[in-house]
Amino acid sequence: MNWYLKVISQYADFSGRARRKEYWMFFLFNMIFAYGLQIVALVADVPALLFLAVIYTFAVLIPSLAVGVRRMHDVGKSGWYLLIPLYSFILAVTDSEPGENQYGQNPKETQDVKLQKV
């Protein structure tokens, strides 16, 4: 859940890098919330909840794009690669580019250094 909140807190931040775990945990929780709302709306037959699901989907559109762009940056590619569906999926499951690249420091290595200090 912390990864989901981290992405939401960086609402429209298209710069930097996002590690695989951040991207996929956001994806997981986003799907749980979106489909959960839709299922509850259809089972309970409450149109207002279905409308709320649509509002939620539009509300997380920009954070979803932002974390996708940061994920592409993490593997050393431009955010425009999100427009190529199969290739962007392959890049999304690929491990981070080690070290620093043109988009910033590797967040995985930064996280590992923080854990070693504790």
Side-chain angles (χ1 to χ4, degrees):
M1 187 66 164
N2 290 336
W3 294 107
Y4 179 83
L5 296 174
K6 181 180 185 298
V7 171
I8 295 298
S9 70
Q10 293 179 302
Y11 189 81
D13 183 12
F14 290 86
S15 63
R17 296 168 67 167
R19 56 189 292 191
R20 258 187 313 193
K21 188 172 188 176
E22 177 182 347
Y23 177 79
W24 288 110
M25 291 304 282
F26 175 78
F27 182 84
L28 173 69
F29 280 104
N30 190 28
M31 290 296 108
I32 289 171
F33 294 150
Y35 286 121
L37 271 173
Q38 291 175 12
I39 290 169
V40 169
L42 293 174
V43 169
D45 196 28
V46 180
L49 281 179
L50 200 53
F51 181 69
L52 185 63
V54 171
I55 296 296
Y56 172 78
T57 302
F58 282 120
V60 296
L61 179 64
I62 293 174
S64 298
L65 290 173
V67 75
V69 168
R70 290 195 312 269
R71 180 70 200 126
M72 296 299 109
H73 289 173
D74 195 42
V75 294
K77 302 290 185 186
S78 168
W80 290 105
Y81 279 89
L82 280 176
L83 298 176
I84 308 170
L86 184 59
Y87 188 55
S88 66
F89 174 75
I90 292 168
L91 291 175
V93 298
T94 303
D95 197 13
S96 301
E97 190 174 81
E100 190 170 338
N101 68 13
Q102 66 189 21
Y103 302 105
Q105 185 63 31
N106 186 342
K108 186 187 248 182
E109 292 171 358
T110 306
Q111 184 73 19
D112 292 342
V113 170
K114 286 180 184 176
L115 291 175
Q116 289 174 355
K117 288 182 181 178
V118 173

